[in-house]
Amino acid sequence: MTAYPAWTPASRPGIIPLHPLPFGTILGRSFSALRQNPRVLLGFALVVQTLAYLIVTAAIVGVAWASFTRLDTLRFGTEEFEAVMAGSIAITMIAGLVLGLAAGALGVVVQGIVVIEVAHAAVAEKLRLSALWRQLRPVVWRLIGYTLLLTLAVVIVTGAVVAAIVGIAIAAGPLAILFTVMAILAAIPLTLWLMIKLLLAPSAIILEHATIGQAVARSWRLTRGRFWPALGVIILISLVFGFVAQIVSVPFSFLSTGLTTVIAPTGDPEPSAIIAMIVVLLLTQVVTLLLQSVAVVVQSTATAIIYIDCRMRHEGLDLDLLAYVERRDAGATALPDPYREHIGRAIAPRLPQPAYAVPPGYPPAYGQAPAAPYGQVPPYGQAPVTPPYAAQPTPAPRPAPQPAPTEEHPAPAPTAWTAPGTPADGVDRESPWA
C-alpha cells in the first residue's frame, strides 16, 4: 500500500518576512510589532516603568527627608551646619544614582521580555507572559550584570574625563575650555559607534544564552557591514519619540495655565502653585511613563529585528527559521530552538536574484547570474554555475565568387544527372526497359 504525504496548510506569516530585511521594513515593523501582543508588551512595560518610578521617587524622598531633617537641630551659618548640608546633598545624590541604576536594571528585564516575544512572533508564535519569563529567567542576572558593567564603564570614563578637565582648569583655564569642547565633539561619534557595535549584545545573551564576553564579540561581528542601517533605525526612533514628547508637553502647559486662571483668578500664589503641581507634575508624569513604556518596547523590538536581520545575512538564520516553521506546521513536536542552532555559521555572500527565470541554454541578462541547468539546484549562498555552452559547428567557407561568363570564357555546359552505377554511355543494361 502506497503512503501519500498528508496535506498541511500554508504556514502562518510572522511579523517579519523570513529573508534579509531592507531598512524600511525594519523601521516599520519596529512600530507595528506592538500590535502583535499589546497586553504583554505594553502592559508589562507600563507596569514595570510605573513601579520603578514610584519606588525610586519614594526612596529618594525618604533618603532626602532623613538626611536633611538633621539640619533642624543645627544653627544656620555654623561649620557643623555646612558640613551636614554637604553630607545630606552627597547622600541624596548617591542614593539617586544607585536607585537609578536599579530602575535601569528593571528596564533591561522589559527589554528581555520584548526580545523573546519578537523572536517568537517572527515565526508566528504568541506566548503568555509566564512562558516568556521562564525563557528569560536563566539569563536575567547575566543580562543585569552586563548592563551594570556597561554603566560602570561609562561612569569611570566620564569621571576620568571630568577629573582631567578639572586638573587642566586648575593649571590653565582657557586650555580647559578648549579641552572640554574637543572632548564633547569626540564623545558624540564615539558614543554612537560603541552604541551600535554593542547593540546586539543583550539579544545574544537572551536568545543564545551567551556569556557577557561572547555576547560582546557576537554583537561586534554581527553589526559588521550593517552599522549605518542600524544607526539610522535607532536614531529615527529616538527622534520620533522625542518629537512626540515635545508635542505632548505643550497641551499640558496650556491646561495648567488655564486651570490656574480659572481657580485662582486673583493670582493667589498658593492655589496657583497647587494646581500647577497637580496638573503639570502628576498628569505630565503619567503621560511621560506611557511614552517611555512605548519607547522601550519599540526600541527593544527594533533591536531584536536588527539582530534577526544580521543573523540572516551572516549566518543564514532564515533557513533555520523556515525549516522550523515547516516542521512545526507539519505536526512535529519537541523541536530545537532555531536561534541556538548553527551559531556563528558562515555563508557565502548572497547574490541578487534575477527578475525572471532564464531558460537553460540562453545567455543571462546583463548584470544577472547564469541560471542553473534544469533539474540542478546550486548550493545555498553560491552563484548558480552552468556548464559552458555547447560548441557550435564551424560553418564551411563560402566558395570564391566566379567571374561572369564572356566570349573568351563561356560558362561550362550542364551535365546530366546519372544514377550511381550507370555506365559511361548512359544506358542501364540491367533495366527491363533497356
Side-chain angles (χ1 to χ4, degrees):
M1 181 176 178
T2 304
Y4 294 95
W7 176 84
T8 56
S11 301
R12 294 167 295 170
I15 61 171
I16 58 173
L18 297 182
H19 58 72
L21 307 174
F23 176 83
T25 302
I26 298 176
L27 183 61
R29 298 302 171 88
S30 299
F31 288 89
S32 62
L34 187 61
R35 299 176 299 179
Q36 170 75 12
N37 201 350
R39 183 187 304 177
V40 170
L41 297 182
L42 184 57
F44 179 71
L46 185 59
V47 169
V48 171
Q49 294 286 339
T50 304
L51 289 178
Y53 176 79
L54 294 177
I55 292 173
V56 169
T57 303
I60 292 177
V61 170
V63 171
W65 179 269
S67 59
F68 281 98
T69 50
R70 295 183 300 170
L71 297 176
D72 297 337
T73 60
L74 302 175
R75 189 173 61 183
F76 179 77
T78 61
E79 295 182 359
E80 188 178 2
F81 182 91
E82 298 295 335
V84 172
M85 173 66 74
S88 300
I89 295 175
I91 292 174
T92 305
M93 292 180 61
I94 294 174
L97 178 61
V98 173
L99 293 173
L101 293 178
L106 292 177
V108 173
V109 174
V110 175
Q111 180 183 3
I113 293 293
V114 174
V115 168
I116 296 177
E117 166 62 25
V118 172
H120 283 279
V123 292
E125 293 179 352
K126 187 176 180 180
L127 303 182
R128 295 179 176 271
L129 180 60
S130 58
L132 297 175
W133 171 250
R134 282 196 299 268
Q135 296 186 20
L136 179 64
R137 185 170 53 190
V139 295
V140 64
W141 291 112
R142 192 180 307 169
L143 186 63
I144 294 175
Y146 167 78
T147 305
L148 294 179
L149 286 177
L150 187 61
T151 305
L152 181 61
V154 172
V155 170
I156 292 175
V157 173
T158 304
V161 173
V162 171
I165 293 175
V166 172
I168 295 175
I170 295 175
L175 187 59
I177 298 176
L178 179 61
F179 182 78
T180 303
V181 173
M182 294 178 60
I184 293 174
L185 294 178
I188 294 175
L190 180 61
T191 301
L192 294 176
W193 181 66
L194 289 176
M195 178 183 67
I196 299 302
K197 297 301 291 184
L198 301 177
L199 179 67
L200 306 183
S203 299
I205 293 175
I206 297 166
L207 297 179
E208 302 176 13
H209 291 193
T211 62
I212 295 178
Q214 293 173 348
V216 171
R218 290 279 295 156
S219 177
W220 208 274
R221 178 183 177 275
L222 290 176
T223 53
R224 189 177 304 163
R226 300 296 296 168
F227 176 83
W228 293 111
L231 178 63
V233 170
I234 299 301
I235 293 297
L236 283 178
I237 291 176
S238 301
L239 291 177
V240 166
F241 281 100
F243 181 71
V244 171
Q246 292 297 326
I247 292 178
V248 170
S249 64
V250 173
F252 284 99
S253 299
F254 286 108
L255 181 62
S256 173
T257 304
L259 290 177
T260 302
T261 304
V262 171
I263 296 178
T266 59
D268 191 3
E270 290 188 6
S272 302
I274 294 174
I275 294 300
M277 181 182 66
I278 293 176
V279 175
V280 176
L281 294 181
L282 184 59
L283 296 182
T284 303
Q285 288 300 322
V286 170
V287 176
T288 301
L289 286 174
L290 180 60
L291 289 178
Q292 287 179 352
S293 302
V294 176
V296 168
V297 172
V298 173
Q299 290 178 349
S300 302
T301 302
T303 302
I305 294 177
I306 292 172
Y307 166 82
I308 295 174
D309 173 68
C310 290
R311 285 199 61 182
M312 286 180 179
R313 296 176 182 273
H314 290 284
E315 302 175 357
L317 177 63
D318 50 340
L319 300 180
D320 299 330
L321 297 180
L322 288 171
Y324 172 84
V325 170
E326 292 177 358
R327 294 173 61 189
R328 180 200 63 194
D329 293 347
T333 58
L335 296 175
D337 187 355
Y339 294 97
R340 300 183 66 181
E341 289 189 327
H342 306 114
I343 296 176
R345 175 177 59 186
I347 62 172
R350 304 189 184 192
L351 298 177
Q353 297 297 327
Y356 58 91
V358 180
Y362 287 84
Y366 177 77
Q368 295 180 355
Y374 180 76
Q376 297 184 14
V377 180
Y380 173 76
Q382 299 181 6
V385 180
T386 59
Y389 297 106
Q392 301 294 334
T394 304
R398 294 183 178 181
Q402 299 294 331
T406 58
E407 294 180 359
E408 298 180 358
H409 302 282
T415 58
W417 179 83
T418 58
T422 306
D425 56 2
V427 180
D428 188 2
R429 290 176 173 79
E430 296 183 359
S431 175
W433 306 102

